[in-house]
Amino acid sequence: MSLSRAPRRTLLAVGVLTAALTLSACSGDSNGKSGGGGNTNFVTNTGGISTVAKGERTAPNEIAGETLDGKRLDVADLKGKVVVLNAWGSWCGPCRAEAPHFAKVAADLEDQGVAFVGLNTRDPNKQPAIAFEEDYGVPYPSLYDPQGKLILFGFPKGTLNPQAIPSTVVLDKEGRIAARSLMALDEKKLRSMIEPLLKEK
């Protein structure tokens, strides 16, 4: 009996994950409001960007795996830099809208100690995602996460986690979750998430 129950549990978990990503996928909500719910220590401003005070930040769980170009990447190895994590899919219209802004800011800030990492999700094979990165001149790697496991399990409960596609989470130089947006970003808003963290000692 336990053997027949295990696959059902697995199917249920996959079903819940799929439903969660489907409900939150490709958010076109321009106000970016996100209810923290419960006992959270973050603040969401009117621009839809949530931030956590320096002393109250939490590190993510392991965010590691194979990139679209087949290399191994572990976000923990980027500690010491401000890290921008962007959850995206090639199928997502708002992701296409923000891609040129991300490519530009990533290139501009690379020499200032900022690293960008994409979290590519819900692309059943790599080819559309690779074509997306080529079309938009994306200069940074993306972890290939077709089932959304990194997005679902990479961020502790109660922290600023990706809840929509696209979502952007920024880690401070200590590797802790410092800011999040649940909407497509232009260059100005993206820089507003990064630049305060660059100034931190």
Side-chain angles (χ1 to χ4, degrees):
M1 295 255 305
S2 64
L3 288 176
S4 65
R5 286 182 186 162
R8 285 184 190 156
R9 278 192 219 109
T10 303
L11 286 172
L12 180 62
V14 170
V16 168
L17 172 60
T18 303
L21 284 174
T22 300
L23 286 172
S24 61
C26 241
S27 171
D29 184 4
S30 61
N31 68 19
K33 288 182 182 174
S34 59
N39 185 20
T40 57
N41 293 319
F42 58 86
V43 176
T44 304
N45 69 20
T46 55
I49 295 170
S50 303
T51 59
V52 182
K54 189 174 181 180
E56 298 175 348
R57 296 174 189 162
T58 305
N61 298 326
E62 183 181 49
I63 302 175
E66 184 179 305
T67 61
L68 288 172
D69 60 1
K71 295 176 183 172
R72 172 85 184 164
L73 188 148
D74 188 338
V75 169
D77 294 339
L78 300 172
K79 193 171 179 181
K81 297 183 176 185
V82 172
V83 179
V84 180
L85 301 170
N86 178 243
W88 66 279
S90 66
W91 42 268
C92 166
C95 300
R96 290 191 287 274
E98 73 176 5
H101 302 291
F102 276 71
K104 181 180 187 307
V105 174
D108 288 352
L109 298 182
E110 182 180 10
D111 293 339
Q112 296 182 41
V114 179
F116 278 65
V117 176
L119 303 175
N120 172 251
T121 190
R122 292 185 60 205
D123 274 312
N125 65 68
K126 292 181 177 181
Q127 288 312 309
I130 291 169
F132 177 103
E133 289 194 329
E134 289 173 354
D135 288 346
Y136 291 101
V138 175
Y140 51 86
S142 284
L143 289 163
Y144 183 52
D145 186 29
Q147 295 177 331
K149 290 179 181 178
L150 295 176
I151 293 170
L152 188 64
F153 301 115
F155 300 85
K157 191 171 184 179
T159 63
L160 296 177
N161 55 343
Q163 296 175 358
I165 309 299
S167 285
T168 301
V169 174
V170 184
L171 309 182
D172 65 16
K173 295 173 189 176
E174 299 298 317
R176 300 170 304 176
I177 300 165
R180 178 193 65 187
S181 172
L182 299 176
M183 60 184 177
L185 295 169
D186 59 19
E187 180 179 347
K188 183 179 178 183
K189 285 190 175 179
L190 179 56
R191 286 180 181 274
S192 78
M193 295 176 73
I194 300 167
E195 287 170 357
L197 300 175
L198 281 174
K199 295 173 185 173
E200 289 182 353
K201 300 294 182 187

